[in-house]
Amino acid sequence: MKPWINKYTPNKPSDIQGQNKAIEALRYYVENYTKTKARAAILYGPTGCGKTISAYAIANELNLEILEINASDFRNKDQIESVIGTASKQMSLFSKGKLILVDEIDGLSGRKDRGGVSALAKLVKESSFPIVCTATDPFDKKLVVLRKASELIEYHTLSYISIAKVLGKITKEEGIEADEELIKTLARRAGGDLRAAINDLQILVDKDRKLTKAAIDELSEREQTENIMNALRLVLKTTDPNTAIHAFDSVPENLDQCALWMDENVPSEYEKPEDLARAYDFISKADIMNRRIKRWQHWRFLVYINAYLTAGIAVSKDEKYKKFVPYRPTTKILKMWKANMKYQKRKAIAEKIAAKTHTSTKTIIQDMLPYLQVAMKKDKQLSEAIAEEFELGKEEVDWLRK
């Protein structure tokens, strides 16, 4: 049977869910690449959000031949110059235009890839055709040279509603019996990864042509991962260290994230000041041990962090609390991620300006960006002139004008 991720690949941009703004930016770049300062486009965002397929859809819409190259297969300077260099200068075999797709440029950031990023950045400036790259994290330090020559286009994590629309369409096309709520359940558990959701759907309905709750539950069991909420209950609702110590064995989060979950929810569970003090003493010990492990690289001591965060917190209370507590996701990870992305975007803009003004990136961030932001908000003509002078992409200009 043909994989559904191939069978239902979107042929036109309008079929791609949830990424309208990014697709419009990509279309504009491909249609006007000879006129833009940025000679490449970097599509970035989480796995399964539509980066690669949107490049194919745009190429199909504009009647362009597409040449896909995976960066992890062509890693060093010689290989990139040989493969991409040749493709960027030769006409299409069918006398059509061409779009060069370099997938997963994150794969160029290893030690064995010496000269690979610089070679790609050089070819981008010399290419006769638009070059589109994809990445999960384009702000890797080793991608700075390529980033300066490219326009960054952000793809957001797909909402479960967008994923559910695609799954609903597939079930109708395939004649699958599926309740709308079960489709939404499957979409939610995909975590924004549309490819994973489609693969899960095909696996679940392969024999009976019917999507059932039992099948979805069975899939979860096969993955053998326990919900972090259940793990929290296991620790916070028991005083038995032997029960609590295995709470995090099957959850996908690492111990750093588990510590943040505990920090968020312990105050909601433990009411007595002495219980709370003992619990936070164990959380602080886990943090101290974590820093020592990272400093000395003694990873075998991770077992102590787990013990502090599970058995330690469990025995911190004199008795179980019988009240119901709705545990909350930790907001610190999201706040840290948002702050980091904001800083990385600001840094990428500062790097472009620093290169033009022969100034350090740090100086630009501290002394110049605040004034540029004010000036660009107030004067549209000045904003366009600044963007032209420093070769800023549309997304970068929009960020400065926020």
Side-chain angles (χ1 to χ4, degrees):
M1 181 185 292
K2 186 176 182 180
W4 286 355
I5 56 171
N6 295 333
K7 185 176 180 180
Y8 293 100
T9 296
N11 292 316
K12 53 184 186 289
S14 59
D15 291 336
I16 299 173
Q17 288 287 331
Q19 304 293 358
N20 294 344
K21 185 177 178 181
I23 288 171
E24 283 305 310
L26 176 60
R27 180 188 286 111
Y28 181 85
Y29 158 73
V30 174
E31 289 181 326
N32 300 278
Y33 77 96
T34 56
K35 304 173 187 176
T36 59
K37 294 287 185 181
R39 299 294 295 176
I42 298 179
L43 316 183
Y44 70 98
T47 301
C49 65
K51 301 185 296 293
T52 302
I53 199 61
S54 63
Y56 274 89
I58 291 289
N60 185 57
E61 180 184 67
L62 301 178
N63 196 31
L64 301 175
E65 178 188 350
I66 189 164
L67 173 66
E68 180 180 353
I69 298 162
N70 194 296
S72 61
D73 296 330
F74 302 94
R75 303 172 70 92
N76 59 43
K77 178 181 177 182
D78 292 339
Q79 290 174 327
I80 285 173
E81 287 180 345
S82 174
V83 178
I84 302 178
T86 301
S88 67
K89 295 169 185 175
Q90 289 182 345
M91 286 297 295
S92 164
L93 292 174
F94 306 101
S95 300
K96 298 196 296 185
K98 184 190 295 185
L99 187 152
I100 300 171
L101 174 63
V102 186
D103 218 7
E104 299 177 0
I105 57 169
D106 311 62
L108 290 172
S109 59
R111 289 184 178 180
K112 297 179 181 179
D113 309 335
R114 190 174 297 278
V117 175
S118 298
L120 181 56
K122 183 180 179 183
L123 290 172
V124 159
K125 295 176 182 178
E126 300 172 350
S127 176
S128 302
F129 305 99
I131 295 181
V132 175
C133 306
T134 69
T136 303
D137 177 16
F139 299 109
D140 189 299
K141 290 181 180 179
K142 294 182 180 179
L143 296 176
V144 63
V145 179
L146 179 61
R147 193 168 63 239
K148 286 180 181 178
S150 306
E151 178 179 353
L152 298 181
I153 300 175
E154 183 176 9
Y155 280 65
H156 297 283
T157 302
L158 288 174
S159 69
Y160 82 91
I161 295 174
S162 294
I163 293 175
K165 286 180 180 178
V166 176
L167 298 184
K169 181 180 178 181
I170 292 174
T171 55
K172 287 180 181 178
E173 290 285 336
E174 294 291 329
I176 302 297
E177 184 181 342
D179 181 83
E180 186 178 347
E181 286 305 313
L182 289 180
I183 291 175
K184 288 181 179 178
T185 298
L186 189 59
R188 284 190 185 95
R189 69 181 301 284
D193 189 336
L194 179 57
R195 282 200 300 266
I198 294 173
N199 283 332
D200 286 346
L201 178 64
Q202 186 170 15
I203 291 169
L204 293 177
V205 303
D206 188 34
K207 293 181 180 178
D208 300 329
R209 313 297 290 175
K210 182 179 180 180
L211 181 64
T212 64
K213 184 178 184 300
I216 295 176
D217 291 342
E218 184 183 348
L219 183 66
S220 299
E221 289 172 11
R222 286 204 302 268
E223 291 177 346
Q224 295 182 340
T225 59
E226 188 171 351
N227 188 287
I228 183 67
M229 297 296 184
N230 292 333
L232 289 175
R233 292 188 190 97
L234 205 58
V235 173
L236 299 177
K237 292 296 187 184
T238 186
T239 55
D240 180 6
N242 294 319
T243 299
I245 201 162
H246 298 293
F248 293 137
D249 287 357
S250 299
V251 298
E253 283 82 357
N254 60 39
L255 286 175
D256 287 344
Q257 294 171 320
C258 290
L260 292 173
W261 278 88
M262 280 297 177
D263 178 50
E264 183 80 26
N265 290 285
V266 163
S268 300
E269 181 75 33
Y270 292 5
E271 294 176 343
K272 298 177 182 177
E274 55 270 28
D275 290 353
L276 197 58
R278 286 192 290 262
Y280 268 103
D281 183 52
F282 280 111
I283 292 174
S284 67
K285 285 176 180 176
D287 185 54
I288 291 169
M289 181 63 72
N290 190 30
R291 283 186 282 120
R292 288 176 178 172
I293 289 171
K294 289 178 179 178
R295 181 184 302 163
W296 302 107
Q297 299 293 294
H298 292 164
W299 299 104
R300 64 185 180 278
F301 294 135
L302 282 172
V303 64
Y304 294 112
I305 295 179
N306 181 69
Y308 289 143
L309 294 176
T310 55
I313 291 175
V315 301
S316 296
K317 53 187 175 293
D318 293 325
E319 59 183 358
K320 301 175 187 177
Y321 290 91
K322 296 181 180 180
K323 63 179 181 177
F324 170 74
V325 177
Y327 300 128
R328 300 177 303 174
T330 174
T331 57
K332 191 170 182 179
I333 295 174
L334 179 60
K335 288 177 181 177
M336 289 167 60
W337 182 83
K338 285 184 175 179
N340 183 56
M341 291 301 290
K342 183 178 179 180
Y343 172 75
Q344 295 290 3
K345 285 183 179 179
R346 181 179 62 177
K347 187 179 178 184
I349 294 168
E351 285 169 349
K352 285 188 174 182
I353 298 172
K356 286 281 188 177
T357 58
H358 307 287
T359 313
S360 71
T361 301
K362 183 178 180 181
T363 300
I364 295 296
I365 291 174
Q366 291 178 345
D367 300 337
M368 190 171 178
L369 280 189
Y371 299 103
L372 277 182
Q373 287 179 285
V374 173
M376 292 178 75
K377 284 179 184 177
K378 292 184 176 181
D379 191 328
K380 185 177 180 181
Q381 190 173 357
L382 177 60
S383 176
E384 292 173 353
I386 290 172
E388 176 74 17
E389 176 64 26
F390 296 120
E391 301 180 6
L392 302 178
K394 186 179 182 300
E395 186 174 303
E396 292 167 329
V397 172
D398 289 343
W399 188 91
L400 283 170
R401 299 182 67 181
K402 280 183 180 178

